[in-house]
Amino acid sequence: DGYVPPDYCLPLLYPPGASFSHHYDSRTRWGEVIVGVNLGREGEMLFVPQAKHDKEALAARTNGKIKSVRVKMPRRSIYVMSGPSRLDWKHGVVSHKVTKNDPPLPSWNPHNMRKSLTFRSTKVFSDVYFERKIQDMQNMIVTERNDERRREHEETLADLTTRQRSQLRFKASGDYGKGSLSGADLLEERRRAASLLDMMASGSVGVPADLRFDPSEVTFPLPPGVPTGGSYDAAGGFAVG
C-alpha cells in the first residue's frame, strides 16, 4: 500500500575518490524504506548478499564469478532500497576515479563533490504507520460489500502484514549508541509518530518543514508555499504557527 513516508532526511557529501564499506543502514534506527537522491555527479553502489541462499543464488546466476552487485547512480537519479536490498543485503559506495570521460559537472559543483540526500522513516514512525494501515485495512474489509473490492483489500492486508512482520524482527532503538527504546522514551516516540501521522493524514495543512526535518538537514531554500513555524508538545502533539 505504498511506501512508508519519511520523517527524516540525512545529507552526505562525498569528495572525489571517497568510498563507503558495505554495511546495513541500521535496521533498528530506521524503518522499512530508504529513498536516496544523487546530486552533483554520478556514483555507484555495491550490494553484497549476506544470507546463504542469496549468496548461492548469485553464484548460480554468474557461475560463481560475481560475489556482489554494482548499481550505477547517474546524477539527479533516485533510488529506493526496500525489501531484501534494505534488510538482507549490505550496501556500500564504490570509489569513483575522475576521468576525462566523466559527464560534465554542473556549474555549482567545481570540486566534483557528490551529494547524497537519503529520505527515511525512523523505526518507531515506520512501526506506527504499519499498525495504522493494517487497522484501516481491516476496518475496510469488514465494511466492504463489493466482493471484488473486498478481495483487493484482503490482498493489500496480506502484503502489509508481511511487510510489518519483516520489520518486527528488529526492535526500535534511539539515536546511535543509545540502545533499544523502552518505557517512557518509546511511548514518547510513539506519541510523536502518531501526532505527525495525524497531521499528515488531515489534508488541511502541509506539515511544517521544521517539524519534519532539523534545520541542519535542509541545506537549500524551501520552495514558496512550504509551511514552517510548527511546534510540538507531548500533550497536544504537532501544531502549525
Side-chain angles (χ1 to χ4, degrees):
D1 190 42
Y3 292 126
V4 180
D7 64 329
Y8 196 98
C9 177
L10 178 64
L12 292 172
L13 279 175
Y14 292 87
S19 63
F20 211 136
S21 174
H22 56 273
H23 62 285
Y24 293 117
D25 281 5
S26 174
R27 296 169 293 182
T28 60
R29 176 72 176 117
W30 308 114
E32 182 194 40
V33 178
I34 305 289
V35 178
V37 180
N38 188 57
L39 302 172
R41 63 169 173 80
E42 66 178 15
E44 187 174 18
M45 292 184 73
L46 177 75
F47 288 87
V48 183
Q50 302 301 303
K52 181 179 179 182
H53 66 273
D54 287 330
K55 293 179 181 178
E56 292 175 344
L58 182 60
R61 290 198 299 268
T62 63
N63 294 320
K65 296 179 180 179
I66 298 178
K67 300 185 183 300
S68 61
V69 176
R70 293 192 175 200
V71 179
K72 292 284 188 181
M73 298 184 296
R75 182 167 69 90
R76 295 185 292 186
S77 63
I78 296 174
Y79 63 87
V80 179
M81 291 194 301
S82 65
S85 68
R86 163 77 179 104
L87 300 176
D88 300 329
W89 291 50
K90 290 186 177 182
H91 67 279
V93 176
V94 179
S95 176
H96 176 78
K97 295 182 179 179
V98 180
T99 72
K100 62 181 181 180
N101 296 320
D102 287 350
L105 298 173
S107 59
W108 57 263
N109 189 18
H111 302 297
N112 200 15
M113 305 287 281
R114 186 174 76 83
K115 187 163 190 174
S116 168
L117 299 176
T118 55
F119 297 88
R120 52 189 73 198
S121 60
T122 51
K123 183 63 167 61
V124 173
F125 183 88
S126 180
D127 288 347
V128 174
Y129 173 87
F130 274 115
E131 291 168 11
R132 289 194 169 199
K133 295 298 287 188
I134 287 172
Q135 184 62 61
D136 289 345
M137 197 55 58
Q138 290 171 335
N139 293 339
M140 291 174 68
I141 290 172
V142 170
T143 59
E144 182 57 67
R145 301 299 180 216
N146 182 283
D147 289 342
E148 183 177 351
R149 285 198 292 268
R150 187 185 303 111
R151 283 193 294 271
E152 291 175 354
H153 295 335
E154 288 171 347
E155 291 174 359
T156 300
L157 177 61
D159 177 63
L160 285 168
T161 303
T162 299
R163 290 164 60 188
Q164 182 194 46
R165 191 178 300 119
S166 72
Q167 287 293 297
L168 292 177
R169 291 185 287 161
F170 311 105
K171 187 175 181 180
S173 65
D175 291 335
Y176 290 111
K178 292 189 176 180
S180 298
L181 285 171
S182 61
D185 291 336
L186 178 59
L187 183 60
E188 177 60 18
E189 286 295 315
R190 288 182 61 84
R191 284 180 182 146
R192 289 178 64 88
S195 179
L196 183 53
L197 283 166
D198 286 342
M199 193 173 194
M200 294 170 72
S202 69
S204 58
V205 293
V207 180
D210 48 342
L211 291 184
R212 300 190 69 187
F213 308 110
D214 187 89
S216 64
E217 298 163 6
V218 183
T219 57
F220 48 86
L222 294 172
V226 174
T228 59
S231 61
Y232 171 83
D233 66 74
F238 289 102
V240 178

